[in-house]
Amino acid sequence: MSGAEQETMPQTSVVFSSILGPSCSGQVPPGMGERGSGASSSGDLVFQEGRLISGSLEALMEHLVPTVDYYPDRTYIFTFLLSSRVFIPPHDLLARVGQICLEQRQQLETGSEKAKLKSFSAKIVQLLKEWTEAFPYDFQDEKAMAELKTITHRVTQCDEENGTVKKAIAQMTQSLLLSLAARSQLQELRDKLRSPAMDKGSVLKTKPPATQKDILGVCCDPLVLAQQLTHIELERVSSIHPEDLMQIVSHMDSRDKHRCRGDLTKTYSLEAYDNWFNCLSMLVATEVCRVVKKKHRTRMLEFFIDVARECFNIGNFNSMMAIISGMNLSPVARLKKTWSKVKTAKFDVLEHHMDPSSNFCNYRTALQGATQRSQMANSSREKIVIPVFNLFVKDIYFLHKIHTNHLPNGHVNFKKFWEISRQIHEFMTWTQVECPFEKDKKIQNYLLTAPIYSEEALFIASFESEGPENHMEKDSWKTLRTTLLNRA
């Protein structure tokens, strides 16, 4: 294999991102996708210092298909299959791959080179195997499945002696069908759970009875709660697939940065994970605001500060950020008498880690440290890296927006897609870590089903605990009371 194809996909832990650099800016180096010095052309593909940086879509598709003497690097296969959906639907790409295979097969048949034909067929099956394993859900489409059957049928025609190619195809097809069945079952479960999840933020007009449990009545150990949060995070994030993340690029509406055009079912896993962050933030705020006595509210705040710190130590940055966000919501932040009793030194350290200055430079440094720890890890516990999902999505979106998909000569800006693919692959590696902590169903059930106050209910509870202190708060409190009286 030539040096041009010797790309290496980052393993469990690489330094967070070469595009962040020492400045922690989170930005891509200038000139990404531009033809600089040292560029060389091979047909419609352009390489720079041995790395493929651009090419026509047709040339990139041809580069994906094996020949008798060539098999694409696995990194290229993953990157192109992931990024190609921005330009062409998977079933159309599969159809084109089938055409290229047919053309090459016909050339080999006319040359009467049976041995080479068999070797070529085996390579095609290997490519399809890698495709179905990395992106099985591309084959949910009936058109894609039909194209797959057409290609495999052609390939098996030269496999009459010992049937090795047929066996490989049968194994591949069985694995693919199992993956699709698992996906279908998961989707059915999501559909069942979806409605109740949307009702979680219902307005509570009054505080719950004093006898109702709070989080401390279920779990009073910050480390244990942090471990259970990590369990939930890893379970939820494991349902996100590379193609889901590529939706950020391929389905973003140019008229509205924050709204996706994609089918809701395609982005549900992203929305569900984002909703979990919001629910956790609101749960933290609810647990604090619903406490009647100041002494107990102080204890609750200090407990969540300790939980956030344990999340940080584990490498669960998403839960940590959600907890900090919950404590920074206005109904909680305004409780000055309560906060005056809290030992805030630990909280100050946490806020320093999540300081948004310089594009969250402190957080990125901590994430880089966790990533390096994961790379050297001997245990599952040390491998855990759960980034702040919102920031990860923004990084991908930012990378997408500042670099064009095509260069002025019409080539696909493949240098851009190398970087997007690298970051997505690294994220996917983190999601596959097995949670080492024992699952506590009682604690998890509370975290996932405990009543959550709406923003309005949080303010009511907050004002009832500590009355309004200025004109703006007095006006807000008056408006809330009027609203409640009108409802009554």
Side-chain angles (χ1 to χ4, degrees), residues 101-117:
C101 289
L102 180 60
E103 290 165 9
Q104 292 197 35
R105 178 185 167 82
Q106 288 171 344
Q107 289 176 5
L108 290 171
E109 284 175 337
T110 54
S112 301
E113 300 182 82
K114 288 287 177 89
K116 288 186 177 181
L117 184 59

Side-chain angles (χ1 to χ4, degrees), residues 32-46:
M32 171 171 281
E34 296 172 7
R35 258 179 106 166
S37 59
S40 63
S41 179
S42 175
D44 277 339
L45 299 177
V46 178

Side-chain angles (χ1 to χ4, degrees), residues 139-379:
F139 298 88
Q140 288 182 120
D141 189 293
E142 289 181 8
K143 293 178 183 176
M145 192 60 86
E147 291 294 345
L148 180 65
K149 287 178 181 177
T150 300
I151 296 172
T152 54
H153 176 70
R154 288 172 185 160
V155 166
T156 55
Q157 290 175 357
C158 69
D159 188 44
E160 297 173 357
E161 293 177 19
N162 55 17
T164 52
V165 172
K166 285 182 180 177
K167 288 176 185 174
I169 290 172
Q171 290 173 352
M172 175 192 74
T173 304
Q174 185 179 15
S175 297
L176 174 59
L177 292 175
L178 286 172
S179 294
L180 292 176
R183 171 81 168 219
S184 178
Q185 289 173 0
L186 183 60
Q187 188 61 50
E188 287 176 12
L189 180 62
R190 285 175 181 167
D191 291 341
K192 288 178 183 177
L193 295 175
R194 191 167 181 182
S195 295
M198 293 179 71
D199 292 337
K200 273 188 104 174
S202 59
V203 175
L204 301 180
K205 295 180 182 177
T206 58
K207 290 188 178 182
T211 53
Q212 185 173 318
K213 279 184 183 177
D214 62 17
I215 189 69
L216 289 172
V218 179
C219 177
C220 59
D221 186 334
L223 175 58
V224 172
L225 190 65
Q227 290 174 345
Q228 295 310 305
L229 287 170
T230 302
H231 239 299
I232 294 171
E233 292 278 356
L234 288 173
E235 283 181 6
R236 301 224 162 188
V237 80
S238 66
S239 67
I240 295 174
H241 304 281
E243 59 269 33
D244 296 326
L245 294 168
M246 207 61 188
Q247 299 269 345
I248 301 164
V249 175
S250 59
H251 291 282
M252 194 64 70
D253 190 331
S254 60
R255 293 169 298 174
D256 181 354
K257 306 181 178 182
H258 307 293
R259 183 167 56 86
C260 287
R261 294 181 308 200
D263 185 353
L264 195 59
T265 57
K266 292 180 181 177
T267 57
Y268 179 73
S269 58
L270 302 184
E271 292 175 1
Y273 191 48
D274 188 49
N275 286 341
W276 153 247
F277 180 98
N278 296 331
C279 284
L280 180 54
S281 293
M282 294 297 280
L283 176 63
V284 169
T286 300
E287 292 290 325
V288 174
C289 289
R290 62 187 282 226
V291 178
V292 177
K293 293 183 178 179
K294 182 170 64 179
K295 181 180 177 181
H296 293 163
R297 278 199 306 277
T298 301
R299 185 186 171 204
M300 187 69 76
L301 281 170
E302 290 180 339
F303 173 71
F304 276 120
I305 290 169
D306 286 339
V307 173
R309 188 176 63 162
E310 294 295 351
C311 286
F312 177 83
N313 293 336
I314 289 171
N316 180 359
F317 299 104
N318 201 55
S319 288
M320 173 193 173
M321 178 66 105
I323 293 169
I324 292 173
S325 298
M327 289 189 286
N328 280 327
L329 289 174
S330 296
V332 180
R334 65 166 297 278
L335 298 171
K336 294 179 182 177
K337 292 175 184 176
T338 305
W339 279 101
S340 68
K341 302 295 181 182
V342 174
K343 296 173 185 176
T344 55
K346 294 177 190 174
F347 188 65
D348 293 341
V349 171
L350 293 174
E351 288 213 300
H352 172 75
H353 286 307
M354 293 300 170
D355 182 358
S357 307
S358 303
N359 193 20
F360 290 88
C361 183
N362 296 340
Y363 157 70
R364 295 184 188 281
T365 301
L367 181 63
Q368 180 176 333
T371 306
Q372 290 172 332
R373 178 187 68 185
S374 179
Q375 185 178 27
M376 307 297 291
N378 295 315
S379 67

Side-chain angles (χ1 to χ4, degrees), residues 378-397:
N378 295 315
S379 67
S380 294
R381 179 165 186 158
E382 294 173 323
K383 288 181 181 178
I384 295 172
V385 182
I386 305 173
V388 178
F389 188 62
N390 242 349
L391 292 180
F392 173 78
V393 169
K394 285 178 181 176
D395 284 346
I396 296 294
Y397 176 72

